[in-house]
Amino acid sequence: MKSSFGSILSEWRAVRRLSQLDLALLTDISQRHISFVESGRATPSRDMIFKLADGLDLPLRARNDLFLAAGYAPVYLQRRLDLSEMAAARRALQLILAHHEPYPAIVMDAHWNIIMQNEAVARIVGFCVKGETIRRRFPDGVINFMELMFAPDGLRPHVINWTQSRAALLHRLRREAAGNPGSPSEMMRQRLDDGTALSGAEPAIHDDGIDPMLSLELRVGDTRLRLFNTFTTFGTPQDVALQELRIDMSFPADEATRRFLEAAVKSGIAGALAMAERV
C-alpha cells in the first residue's frame, strides 16, 4: 500500500507525464529508490524531496504538501501582502499597475480574487456594474474576477463576443487545473461551466483566423472596446502566496479603444463616451 507521500508523488508524475525512469534521469535518483519511496518501503530525506520537487517542477504549495506528507515541516511560508517583508513585492505591483494607466490592470490570487487594481479598472467596472450589485455579490468586498465576468448582472452582458471569451476563460481555468491539481481553478471551472461552451454548435476560440490574438470586446455605453491581455508572474518567488499572484494587463487592440481609454482619464467614462460620439 502506497504511503501518503508516495501517492502524492505518483499523482504528480502522472500530471507531468513522467515515468519513474524519466524522473530518475531528471533528479539523479535511482529508479529503484523512487519506486521504494512511492510504495512506502523507503522514507525520503529532505534533500531527496527537494530534488524530486525540482524534477517535477512543482509549485511551492505542492512542495510544502510533499514535506508534510513525509513528516517534515513546510519549507515555504505564505505571507500576507501587507506585511513589511513583502514591501518590495507590493511596491513592484503598485508600480506596474500605475505605470499601465490608462489601460486596465489587476492583480489576482490563486482563487481569482482581485487583490489590487488600477484606476482604469475601477472606471470601467464602475460604469458597467452598479455599486449595489458589486456589494450584493461580494459582501466581503473581495471581487472575484471570474465570477464578475460570468455573472448575468456583472460584466457578461457587456461582452460582445461572449461565446469566444467564455470559451477562452474556461480554457484558461482548465489548463491551470491540469497543470496543478491543487489549484482552485478546477472547482471554479466546474461551477462556471454549464457544458455548452465547447459544444459543436459554437465556434472555436480561434475560428476567425484573422486577428493575431483573441480580443475581449466590451460594450461601454454605445462604444465597443477591444482589449487583449498579457499575464505576468514573479520570476523567482520563495513565498507561496507571491508565486500564486497573477498580474493581468489589458491593452487596446485598436486605435479607437486607445483613444477612449486615454480620454477617460481626463473626463471619466461619460466624458470619453461623449467624445467618442463626436468622432
Side-chain angles (χ1 to χ4, degrees), residues 79-96 116 234 239 242 245:
R79 305 172 181 87
R80 297 198 320 272
L81 198 57
D82 59 353
L83 295 178
S84 59
E85 55 264 45
M86 301 289 274
R90 189 170 61 249
R91 283 194 297 269
L93 293 171
Q94 292 168 342
L95 180 63
I96 291 171
M116 296 175 69
F234 282 92
D239 179 273
L242 199 61
L245 293 183

Side-chain angles (χ1 to χ4, degrees), residues 23-256:
L23 186 57
L25 293 173
L26 286 171
T27 59
D28 198 26
I29 300 171
S30 72
Q31 180 183 358
R32 179 184 176 85
H33 197 173
I34 291 175
S35 176
F36 278 18
V37 167
E38 285 196 2
S39 66
R41 297 184 342 188
T43 301
S45 65
R46 282 172 54 89
D47 182 61
M48 182 180 183
I49 296 174
F50 277 116
K51 289 181 178 180
L52 291 170
D54 286 341
L56 292 166
D57 191 24
L58 297 187
L60 300 184
R61 186 179 298 276
R63 294 178 186 229
N64 277 347
D65 290 342
L66 274 184
F67 280 105
L68 282 170
Y72 300 106
V75 173
Y76 303 98
L77 297 178
Q78 181 175 352
R79 305 172 181 87
R80 297 198 320 272
L81 198 57
D82 59 353
L83 295 178
S84 59
E85 55 264 45
M86 301 289 274
R90 189 170 61 249
R91 283 194 297 269
L93 293 171
Q94 292 168 342
L95 180 63
I96 291 171
L97 295 182
H99 185 72
H100 198 62
E101 289 280 0
Y103 310 139
I106 59 176
V107 179
M108 296 175 287
D109 64 15
H111 295 268
W112 304 90
N113 292 322
I114 299 175
I115 60 172
M116 296 175 69
Q117 64 181 32
N118 64 4
E119 291 300 320
V121 172
R123 285 191 292 270
I124 293 174
V125 173
F127 184 87
C128 294
V129 185
K130 295 180 180 179
E132 61 189 51
T133 300
I134 294 289
R135 288 188 291 272
R136 184 180 69 254
R137 282 202 164 271
F138 309 105
D140 60 356
V142 180
I143 298 175
N144 185 276
F145 169 75
M146 288 292 178
E147 292 180 5
L148 181 65
M149 288 295 300
F150 278 78
D153 55 355
L155 287 177
R156 174 177 175 174
H158 301 272
V159 180
I160 299 170
N161 62 336
W162 175 243
T163 297
Q164 291 85 355
S165 296
R166 179 176 183 272
L169 290 169
L170 291 174
H171 177 72
R172 186 178 176 197
L173 287 172
R174 185 178 295 105
R175 182 178 58 193
E176 185 152 326
N180 181 4
S183 167
S185 294
E186 177 58 25
M187 188 176 298
M188 178 73 71
R189 185 196 65 80
Q190 292 178 5
R191 187 163 73 249
L192 298 176
D193 187 3
D194 60 9
T196 63
L198 301 178
S199 67
E202 295 185 348
I205 296 175
H206 301 294
D207 266 2
D208 290 342
I210 298 173
D211 296 328
M213 290 170 289
L214 176 67
S215 297
L216 173 70
E217 298 183 12
L218 192 65
R219 183 184 293 107
V220 178
D222 293 327
T223 297
R224 184 183 74 165
L225 303 184
R226 298 181 66 244
L227 301 162
F228 67 88
N229 295 64
T230 64
F231 302 100
T232 304
T233 60
F234 282 92
T236 54
Q238 291 296 295
D239 179 273
V240 174
L242 199 61
Q243 185 184 57
E244 293 176 342
L245 293 183
R246 300 290 183 270
I247 309 166
D248 185 342
M249 295 183 288
S250 298
F251 295 83
D254 56 32
E255 186 63 20

